[in-house]
Every structure is written in C-alpha cells, then in structure tokens.
Amino acid sequence: MKNIFLYLSLCIFTFQSCLRDNEDPVPIAPFEGAVISPEIGGPAVPNQVWLNLSTGEQTVNKRPSWDLAFHSGKEFKVTLNFSIQMAAGVIEGATDINAVTSASVKDLQKKIKVGTFKAENENYVDNVEGNYASGRTAIAEISADDAQNAIYLVNLGKEIYTEDITLGQAITGGADRGWKKIQITRNGNGYKLKYADLDATTYKEVIINKNPAYHFTFFNMKEDKEVSVQPEKNKWDLCFTVFVNVIAGSGTYTYSDFVIHNTMGGVGAYMVEVPSSQNAADVYKSFSTTDVDNSKFVYNDHRAIGSNWRDVLSRIVYNNVFFIIKDSNGVIYKLKFNRLTNINGERGYPEFEYKPL
C-alpha cells in the first residue's frame, strides 16, 4: 500500500512540475471530434446550421423562419435576418405607423436593399463583424424614451429559390418576401413590437421578453410568432449560413457557404495558412497545443472563417489552410474542410473534420 501511495504521489508531482507557474492546464474536450456534413440542404442553401463542437450536434432552421432577433443582454438591440438579405431604414418624419403607406416610402424602397453596390447600402444592414451589442445596427438601440424610437421600413429579403439550379452553382435568394413598417419600444426589461404591412391602417403588437439563456429571442412577422433558431448561447460554436458581408466602398454583397463563429459566446477562431514549401496535410496532422498562438484568436469578428476556406469559381476547398477554434469552455480544436460539393458536383453539401487538441 505504501508503494502505491508513493507511486501516485510521484505521478502527481511529475505532472504538476511540467506546468509552468503561469500556465493553466488545457481543458479536456468531452468529444473526440468527427467528420461532419452540415445539413445546409443543397444549392439553394435553404438552411442555417448551428454546430456544437463539444458534442457534434447540429441545430437546423429554415433561413426564412425568422425576421427579427431581440437581444437578451443588458443592451436593447434588435437585429435583422442577414441570411435572407433583410435590410431596414428610418422613415424620416414619420410619427404615426398607421399613416405610412407604400406611396409614402416608394423612394426609400429603392435604397433599402442588399447588393446595390453603393457604399451607402451599409447603413441599412447590421454590423457585419457580429458586434451587435456594441456595434451599429440598422435599427438603432431601443430608447427608454418612446418618442426617440423611429418608425422603420423593413425589407423582408428573399424566399428560398425554388427553380432549377445549374450544376456547381448556388443561388441564395428567390422571390421577394415583401415589406413591413415597424416601431419598437421598451416594455420593462423587454420589448414591444408594432408591425404591419405598408398599406395597413392598423398594426399588430407583441411583447418580446429577454431570455438570458439565449443571445436573442427570434420573431417571425409573417407568422406572428416567436420561433426557435439558435441553441442556448454557450451551446453552439459555428454556424453555416448565407451571409451579407460588406465590400469596402461597394456596399453589401451576399455569400453562400459562409461560416461564422459564436463571438458573443466567447468563441475565438483563427486561420493557419501553410507555406507552399510544407505539406499541408502533414502540418494539420501534427498540429498540437504547443503550436497554438493564443494571440491570433479573433473574438471581435465572427467572420474569421467566413469564406476563407473555399474557391467558388473552381468549386474546391483550399488545401493549404485550416482553422483553430477555442470554445467558450476553453477547449481548443483544429478544423479543416474536405469538400464544398457532393460527389455529383452540387453546391450546398460541404464537409469538414475536426479534433480537440
């Protein structure tokens, strides 16, 4: 018995002595990694897919299933569904939502669109870095003074494309979903949403409460109901989605096959680019915790992965890059993409593999 005790004591001492005084143990992943095919749904990209790397679990929603996301944090912020190319702008001078008509906003409708290739177009979408709590949103932060909360014209974006798609292509939007006029005020620690069709003379009203377990509460104005979209705020790491990004000086542009990471939940990510002088497959295979550069993790821009993993013209994944991700629990993973299309060459069927370090 004494020998066993001495042996265990020696093992513990040896393990502890291998850690520097200023170095914490790396958390151990509860999941050994996997090869994942996100359920995006094909070249019309009908789905958003939220992934939890610690379990391999996918949460899937149809892209047009929600319109507005009401922030559950201390700020009173409301964001738009970027995955269906929504946009919004203030209806200047409007004080009565019932008085707004399609005729009174016809000139504004020409501006509030995604993909106009005009720099001013950025004003009608949310912060593309994903800093919704602190950054600019198309709908200004909701004021405690009701009179300060403007009436907005909302472009509901695009439905899922339903026609045939040429092999190798992806189409991110179909028919227009129409327009709404809205006004949002505070309701205690929650929100009050007024919304209507443009020519309606009465509006609908709904109370949206904050739920601290989630980043947002999501609402569908066409179906007049709250909907479930994201998992709980610390239970997803990556999202595969259509995304509205900004091209400097040219306004907004829509991407398919886009990957964002959960910066609001404390997830960080960065890209490793392998020099042409090295074998990328070998570098990925041998990459370990000692190779991680903590200074490179991006926590303030959820586009660190973005579209940096694929070439849509050639319909291939870049074989000289992979990604390092640190989840909200501090577990670090390496991740690389294997394909952009299925075996038939159809877009919307990506595959990636990952392992905890």
Side-chain angles (χ1 to χ4, degrees), residues 274-285:
V274 182
S276 58
S277 59
Q278 299 180 38
N279 183 290
D282 290 341
V283 172
Y284 176 80
K285 184 177 179 179

Side-chain angles (χ1 to χ4, degrees), residues 195-216:
Y195 64 106
D197 292 335
L198 291 187
D199 291 314
T201 55
T202 59
Y203 58 81
K204 297 176 181 179
E205 185 174 286
V206 64
I207 302 300
I208 306 290
N209 295 313
K210 294 184 178 185
N211 185 340
Y214 295 81
H215 292 315
F216 298 100

